Amino acid sequence: MRSNVPECVSLLAHAEASFSTQVHKVGFNLSNKSSKRIAIFGATGSIGRQTLEVLEKIGGFDVAVLSAGSRINELIELAVRWKPGRVTLADKRYYSQLKNALFGLRINVDAGKDAAAKAAAEVDYDIALNGLVGVAGLLPSYHSLSRGIDLALANKESLVLAGEILNRIAEQTGAQILPVDSEHSAIWQCLRGEDIKDVERLIITASGGPFREWSAEQIEVATPEEALKHPTWKMGAKITIDSATLMNKGLEVIEAYHLFGIPSEKIEARIHPVSIVHSMVEFVDGSFKAQLGTPDMKHPISYALNYPERCPFKPKKDDPIDWPALEFFEVDKAKYPCFDLAYKVLKKGGTAAAVLNGADEAAVERFLSGGIKFGEIFSVINKTLNRHVNCNADSIEDVIMADSWAREFVKGLKM
Amino acid sequence: MRSNVPECVSLLAHAEASFSTQVHKVGFNLSNKSSKRIAIFGATGSIGRQTLEVLEKIGGFDVAVLSAGSRINELIELAVRWKPGRVTLADKRYYSQLKNALFGLRINVDAGKDAAAKAAAEVDYDIALNGLVGVAGLLPSYHSLSRGIDLALANKESLVLAGEILNRIAEQTGAQILPVDSEHSAIWQCLRGEDIKDVERLIITASGGPFREWSAEQIEVATPEEALKHPTWKMGAKITIDSATLMNKGLEVIEAYHLFGIPSEKIEARIHPVSIVHSMVEFVDGSFKAQLGTPDMKHPISYALNYPERCPFKPKKDDPIDWPALEFFEVDKAKYPCFDLAYKVLKKGGTAAAVLNGADEAAVERFLSGGIKFGEIFSVINKTLNRHVNCNADSIEDVIMADSWAREFVKGLKM
């Protein structure tokens, strides 16, 4: 099995050795006029593009790295505009084409599966924004934190797979993990100035996805087109399907557990169809605090990049009178069986969460390509979890192994 | 006019002289097992009674003072239960009766208009809870703060009349003003850990009172019985009428201005009929934070008494799924003309706010006794304000004079 480990993991030894010497914490400060160098992983995706929109408005940042998957034309366009020190593409086949397009711009070009992680480990930058989708985001997160560099994190898989490991590293190097998910940003904002011991519970809100008012029978056979119609947020395909199964909310429960150190029995979800309340905290004295606003990912991005300051950049004018009525409903666990799997794997610990995530990514892929029915996404993940022999997750290699195993298992599963 | 000044003002000189010697700040701390001595002004009123309910649950407090207006039987009952060092009644006629009823309990008994203020100035206590209604609350607030004693403040008139004066004194003695109003408690909670310069605006929520869906013509001739039916909060008569005119919300705007140091153009109100969102703050980055919960005054009382800790006492089990749909509407200024008067007096400064408040108290009294129509409350206050020659409000005497003048003017006003 060892041979399955991606090449970029070889950088791990280097990263771990550098803990004591390479720590250069950045205290990003609006009043500090010198620019901060930012590395953007997932630059052509929804989060990456919105991050660049935010940077355009607020200023004060130089782009050090732009990293994308396969959208070469969009990456070229962004590279010409932002002139980063390094540009990477996961898809090796386009290397020459990318190199030629950026010729003469003094941009270091790299391509291949490990190119993003290598950039995270090698390039000089002060803050990372990780907007990669799926497990591909793990190694860039790992390398940024290992170098003591703050990480604005939209890639939930980093924490789902390796929450304990990344928290341990961040503690050692003094780097901060700054959540970019709207839900976790909301909780983080509600916790400002509060004592974590005063938290009664976190209430993560969920739109309920496109099938909120469908029957269980209808959902069972929903098509990819139907599942991709998210009512409030525009996001990538994988995360949109995860919103329809509520697997996304389950992954967010795991993420919240690692970000805030709150036990899973104190983390709940409520369906809130209009997505104005981005999440809530209830305190031990019965007081609820919520963070609200018309949905716009530019807000949590800007909040993370400027933290602890608030940057006077409003994505748009917003007022409570323009909001639809705010309602909250219980999560119907029969309708959303994936959601409960998060609590199951948190109870198990070890590599279970990595298997959950790998199985989910592979199952969603099979669903999107027409290989399985919507209702079978749950069965596939559940079967994989039941078959998995849980191990300790002490290193990044352990969780990458578990993830790879889960994907392979799902691919071979007869449905 | 000087002869109109109440006797208790004679204590002022003493209080001001004692700034430098009598400052004994209390840092109330849950983990500190020794009891805190609390003085409760307005003990038999809605806030006072709920405060005692909270103390019963959370423990850790000794009652030093119980102060009431005229409800002698209720005061006797509370005094027997709580055994305070001093009991006061505003109504002098009941002095002997009160004295006899508490004979042998080692309770110091006082009665008369100045008895509460005298207790505030003389008795030893560590924190004051001021739940008095109207201008009667001003001197107890003044004396507590002058002695460097933290003040949990439900009496909005203290700040409406003398916000600058009380803030100046609190700054000199190091005492804190801890808001107990649900709206200001909400804003205070939303501001925890935030920088006041990041506030875009405060949004005070208002239930809209019993006439929210009435036409302006219907409201004009509403009866006291109709105006006393508040949809969400159970409160005293004066404050309930103020909720129907939205004068209450105007006074809260003035209070917020003094509590948080936010200019009036950044303080707005929104009608929120179900009173679940107790108020909100919008920040410069477009993020809104709200404090929420099923209405219960015991929450802001407990929050103020335990600040900065949160006491694990929940008035009741509460969950977002049990809340009605949350909606927000603009304040119809034609329907609620009193509301705008708050901005008018904040612009004027000086004694204008004291006149607004005195005129409002007197006008509400005239309305409740059938002397004027509901719609005339506004006209009475407005006429009084227009007639008032605005003066500097440098001392407590200045604002008490202005208040007395306004009341006399309203009494004499032919409608």
Side-chain angles (χ1 to χ4, degrees):
Chain A
M1 245 175 116
R2 202 84 191 170
S3 61
N4 281 339
V5 178
E7 274 173 51
C8 54
V9 178
S10 64
L11 283 164
L12 295 180
H14 162 73
E16 293 193 34
S18 71
F19 278 174
S20 51
T21 53
Q22 288 217 12
V23 179
H24 63 115
K25 268 291 280 95
V26 292
F28 176 66
N29 196 325
L30 279 177
S31 49
N32 183 342
K33 293 291 175 207
S34 77
S35 285
K36 299 292 163 196
R37 296 161 300 178
I38 185 170
I40 302 177
F41 301 100
T44 58
S46 166
I47 297 293
R49 285 200 158 270
Q50 291 185 78
T51 299
L52 290 166
E53 275 182 56
V54 169
L55 298 188
E56 190 110 56
K57 298 280 184 190
I58 67 178
F61 284 86
D62 285 332
V63 176
V65 176
L66 286 178
S67 188
S70 59
R71 296 189 205 152
I72 178 167
N73 292 330
E74 296 176 36
L75 182 62
I76 290 168
E77 178 201 311
L78 295 176
V80 168
R81 158 75 186 81
W82 288 95
K83 302 195 177 49
R86 187 176 302 192
V87 156
T88 78
L89 203 63
D91 195 330
K92 230 173 182 157
R93 294 171 299 170
Y94 300 123
Y95 176 74
S96 307
Q97 196 180 329
L98 184 62
K99 183 93 184 157
N100 292 337
L102 301 179
F103 180 78
L105 291 174
R106 297 164 149 259
I107 295 174
N108 189 322
V109 173
D110 195 8
K113 270 194 175 169
D114 310 336
K118 269 193 210 162
E122 294 170 359
V123 177
D124 276 336
Y125 58 95
D126 304 306
I127 188 167
L129 184 296
N130 188 341
L132 289 165
V133 176
V135 74
L138 176 57
L139 284 175
S141 292
Y142 176 82
H143 288 294
S144 297
L145 294 174
S146 296
R147 296 170 69 193
I149 298 173
D150 287 350
L151 171 65
L153 186 62
N155 172 265
K156 42 174 73 68
E157 291 77 6
S158 293
L159 287 176
V160 170
L161 269 76
E164 263 108 24
I165 299 168
L166 295 182
N167 272 332
R168 196 179 62 223
I169 293 172
E171 204 173 314
Q172 286 172 318
T173 65
Q176 295 181 82
I177 304 175
L178 312 161
V180 170
D181 256 356
S182 65
E183 292 82 356
H184 300 90
S185 179
I187 291 168
W188 188 29
Q189 291 182 55
C190 290
L191 290 175
R192 268 185 99 127
E194 302 282 354
D195 191 328
I196 202 80
K197 77 167 170 48
D198 289 339
V199 171
E200 175 80 7
R201 55 181 170 150
L202 309 182
I203 299 176
I204 301 178
T205 53
S207 72
F211 304 145
R212 193 174 57 86
E213 290 179 326
W214 292 34
S215 70
E217 294 72 35
Q218 286 175 298
I219 295 176
E220 183 68 26
V221 294
T223 66
E225 291 68 37
E226 289 165 335
L228 285 169
K229 279 182 199 147
H230 193 275
T232 48
W233 294 100
K234 273 184 200 169
M235 305 173 293
K238 156 71 170 49
I239 197 171
T240 305
I241 301 301
D242 277 355
S243 296
T245 59
L246 239 66
M247 186 69 260
N248 191 41
K249 221 36 66 176
L251 298 178
E252 287 172 10
V253 167
I254 301 175
E255 205 185 353
Y257 166 83
H258 292 298
L259 279 170
F260 306 113
I262 299 285
S264 62
E265 61 271 21
K266 290 187 171 185
I267 308 176
E268 300 182 11
R270 293 289 178 270
I271 302 291
H272 171 56
V274 295
S275 303
I276 298 289
V277 170
H278 301 312
S279 278
M280 285 190 241
V281 176
E282 185 187 1
F283 296 93
V284 291
D285 60 356
S287 177
F288 291 79
K289 266 161 76 173
Q291 189 268 325
L292 312 89
T294 296
D296 192 325
M297 280 308 296
K298 289 195 278 297
H299 169 66
I301 291 168
S302 162
Y303 186 78
L305 295 182
N306 294 301
Y307 181 81
E309 306 218 10
R310 288 183 179 272
C311 181
F313 155 62
K314 287 203 218 185
K316 55 181 82 100
K317 206 173 144 57
D318 199 5
D319 195 283
I321 61 170
D322 300 322
W323 298 341
L326 311 180
E327 294 184 283
F328 306 90
F329 307 98
E330 224 150 353
V331 173
D332 179 345
K333 290 181 180 174
K335 206 157 145 180
Y336 299 111
C338 287
F339 176 66
D340 251 4
L341 294 175
Y343 293 90
K344 194 170 157 180
V345 306
L346 275 178
K347 219 170 168 177
K348 284 190 177 180
T351 49
V355 169
L356 171 75
N357 185 73
D360 176 51
E361 282 196 31
V364 168
E365 227 166 79
R366 277 186 74 170
F367 166 68
L368 285 174
S369 64
I372 58 172
K373 284 186 285 188
F374 186 83
E376 288 174 327
I377 296 175
F378 166 73
S379 330
V380 164
I381 304 172
N382 200 35
K383 276 182 186 161
T384 313
L385 274 175
N386 288 341
R387 178 63 84 77
H388 175 61
V389 180
N390 204 23
C391 311
N392 285 340
D394 294 329
S395 71
I396 292 287
E397 280 113 331
D398 291 338
V399 298
I400 291 179
M401 292 297 177
D403 171 78
S404 303
W405 174 84
R407 285 162 199 274
E408 289 305 313
F409 183 82
V410 168
K411 273 182 199 156
L413 202 60
K414 297 247 162 20
M415 295 299 291
Chain B
M1 249 178 111
R2 203 84 191 166
S3 61
N4 282 341
V5 179
E7 272 174 50
C8 53
V9 177
S10 64
L11 284 164
L12 294 180
H14 162 71
E16 292 192 40
S18 71
F19 278 172
S20 50
T21 52
Q22 290 216 11
V23 179
H24 62 116
K25 268 290 278 93
V26 290
F28 176 65
N29 195 325
L30 280 178
S31 50
N32 184 341
K33 294 292 175 203
S34 77
S35 287
K36 298 292 164 196
R37 295 161 299 177
I38 185 170
I40 302 177
F41 301 100
T44 57
S46 167
I47 297 293
R49 286 200 155 268
Q50 291 185 78
T51 299
L52 290 166
E53 277 182 57
V54 169
L55 298 188
E56 190 110 54
K57 299 279 184 192
I58 66 177
F61 283 86
D62 285 332
V63 176
V65 176
L66 286 178
S67 187
S70 60
R71 294 188 209 154
I72 177 166
N73 292 329
E74 296 176 35
L75 183 62
I76 290 168
E77 179 202 313
L78 294 176
V80 169
R81 158 73 186 83
W82 288 95
K83 302 195 177 51
R86 187 177 302 192
V87 156
T88 78
L89 202 64
D91 194 328
K92 230 174 181 157
R93 294 170 300 168
Y94 299 123
Y95 176 74
S96 308
Q97 197 181 330
L98 184 62
K99 184 92 183 160
N100 292 337
L102 301 179
F103 180 75
L105 292 174
R106 297 164 149 262
I107 296 174
N108 189 322
V109 173
D110 194 10
K113 270 193 176 171
D114 310 337
K118 269 192 208 161
E122 294 171 357
V123 177
D124 276 336
Y125 57 95
D126 304 305
I127 187 167
L129 184 295
N130 189 342
L132 290 165
V133 177
V135 74
L138 177 57
L139 285 175
S141 291
Y142 176 81
H143 287 294
S144 298
L145 295 173
S146 296
R147 296 171 68 194
I149 298 172
D150 287 349
L151 172 65
L153 186 61
N155 172 265
K156 42 175 73 65
E157 291 78 3
S158 293
L159 287 176
V160 169
L161 269 77
E164 264 108 22
I165 299 168
L166 295 183
N167 273 332
R168 194 179 65 223
I169 293 172
E171 205 174 313
Q172 285 172 314
T173 65
Q176 296 182 80
I177 303 175
L178 312 161
V180 169
D181 256 354
S182 66
E183 292 82 357
H184 301 89
S185 179
I187 290 168
W188 189 29
Q189 290 182 56
C190 290
L191 290 175
R192 270 185 98 126
E194 302 282 355
D195 191 329
I196 202 80
K197 78 169 170 41
D198 289 338
V199 171
E200 176 79 9
R201 56 182 170 148
L202 309 181
I203 299 178
I204 300 177
T205 53
S207 71
F211 305 144
R212 191 173 58 87
E213 292 179 327
W214 291 33
S215 70
E217 293 73 36
Q218 286 175 299
I219 295 176
E220 183 69 26
V221 294
T223 67
E225 291 68 36
E226 289 165 335
L228 285 170
K229 278 183 201 150
H230 193 275
T232 48
W233 293 100
K234 273 184 198 165
M235 303 172 295
K238 155 71 169 52
I239 197 170
T240 305
I241 301 301
D242 277 354
S243 296
T245 59
L246 238 66
M247 187 69 259
N248 191 41
K249 221 38 65 176
L251 298 179
E252 287 172 11
V253 167
I254 301 176
E255 206 185 352
Y257 166 83
H258 293 298
L259 279 171
F260 306 113
I262 298 285
S264 63
E265 60 272 21
K266 290 187 172 186
I267 308 176
E268 300 184 10
R270 293 289 178 271
I271 304 289
H272 171 55
V274 296
S275 303
I276 297 288
V277 170
H278 301 311
S279 277
M280 284 189 242
V281 177
E282 186 187 2
F283 296 94
V284 290
D285 59 357
S287 177
F288 290 81
K289 265 162 77 174
Q291 190 268 326
L292 313 89
T294 296
D296 191 326
M297 279 309 294
K298 289 193 279 298
H299 170 65
I301 291 168
S302 163
Y303 186 79
L305 295 183
N306 293 300
Y307 181 80
E309 305 218 12
R310 288 183 179 271
C311 181
F313 155 61
K314 287 203 218 182
K316 57 182 81 104
K317 206 173 145 51
D318 199 6
D319 195 283
I321 61 170
D322 300 323
W323 298 340
L326 311 180
E327 294 184 281
F328 306 91
F329 307 98
E330 225 151 352
V331 173
D332 178 346
K333 291 181 180 176
K335 206 158 144 178
Y336 299 111
C338 287
F339 176 67
D340 250 5
L341 293 176
Y343 293 90
K344 193 169 157 182
V345 305
L346 275 178
K347 217 168 170 180
K348 284 189 177 181
T351 48
V355 168
L356 171 74
N357 185 73
D360 175 51
E361 282 197 32
V364 168
E365 226 167 80
R366 275 187 76 170
F367 166 68
L368 286 174
S369 64
I372 57 172
K373 283 187 286 184
F374 186 83
E376 287 173 329
I377 296 175
F378 166 75
S379 331
V380 165
I381 303 171
N382 199 36
K383 276 183 186 160
T384 313
L385 273 174
N386 288 342
R387 178 65 82 79
H388 175 61
V389 180
N390 204 22
C391 311
N392 285 342
D394 294 330
S395 70
I396 291 287
E397 280 114 330
D398 290 338
V399 297
I400 291 180
M401 294 294 178
D403 170 79
S404 304
W405 174 85
R407 283 161 201 274
E408 289 304 313
F409 184 82
V410 169
K411 274 183 199 154
L413 201 60
K414 295 247 165 22
M415 295 300 288

